Amino acid sequence: MPMTIAILEDNDERISAMQCYLADKFPFFEVRFFRAANEAVEWIREHASQIICLSLDHDLECPAGAPDPGCGRDVAELVAGLQPQFPIVIHSTNVHAAIAMEALLQERGWTVSRVLPYGDLAWLAEIWLPAIRAAIVGSARQPATTACEASPTR
């Protein structure tokens, strides 16, 4: 079962650039994109153990005549209810929503970083890709906690 970098993103240009960068730097991981929060939620419920890193946008465009795609907060709420097991990178220009998602996840013990997109696509190579790399490398360095270590000593 391949480890997966899962990404909630609806912008075609961003998706194309992300695919290119990730294929170059992480060819050994599967990359899975979701354009709607409900699609991400359904997949994460079944495949959380496969995720090596999750990247979340907040605001998702609703194409004319299409159902509401939800938002990154919908995914964050599902993930917050799970046992922390992979790092999360939030990439959203909606600063207030991104901060709220970050706080929710950190309160539940998740490792979260946040990047603020700027300009056109330059931010992807300059700050997003390094954040993804740092999240993956950082999670690999963290020792696993055993049930004995997690329990208070009596």
Side-chain angles (χ1 to χ4, degrees):
M1 180 176 343
M3 295 304 291
T4 303
I5 298 172
I7 303 168
L8 180 65
E9 177 58 61
D10 63 332
N11 179 282
D12 290 333
E13 290 177 348
R14 286 183 179 182
I15 290 171
S16 180
M18 289 172 167
Q19 284 175 323
C20 183
Y21 291 132
L22 294 171
D24 181 51
K25 299 297 182 190
F26 300 104
F28 35 85
F29 294 133
E30 180 178 312
V31 178
R32 185 143 186 140
F33 287 91
F34 302 94
R35 293 177 176 271
N38 65 329
E39 295 169 358
V41 164
E42 288 175 27
W43 189 84
I44 291 168
R45 280 188 180 129
E46 297 293 320
H47 301 91
S49 65
Q50 286 179 242
I51 300 172
I52 189 80
C53 187
L54 174 64
S55 187
L56 298 174
D57 190 5
H58 183 273
D59 298 338
L60 303 173
E61 296 282 327
C62 187
D68 181 358
C71 65
R73 177 69 185 224
D74 300 330
V75 179
E77 288 176 355
L78 165 81
V79 171
L82 303 175
Q83 183 70 29
Q85 54 193 305
F86 48 81
I88 301 167
V89 176
I90 297 170
H91 65 275
S92 179
T93 55
N94 185 333
V95 176
H96 297 294
I99 290 170
M101 288 168 50
E102 181 181 29
L104 168 69
L105 292 162
Q106 286 178 338
E107 286 172 4
R108 302 289 176 87
W110 288 87
T111 301
V112 183
S113 60
R114 184 170 42 89
V115 298
L116 180 62
Y118 55 85
D120 190 28
L121 299 175
W123 66 275
L124 290 168
E126 293 171 3
I127 62 172
W128 178 79
L129 188 62
I132 294 291
R133 182 184 184 285
I136 292 170
V137 169
S139 69
R141 290 185 182 160
Q142 293 177 356
T145 304
T146 65
C148 294
E149 292 170 344
S151 300
T153 307
R154 293 182 195 230

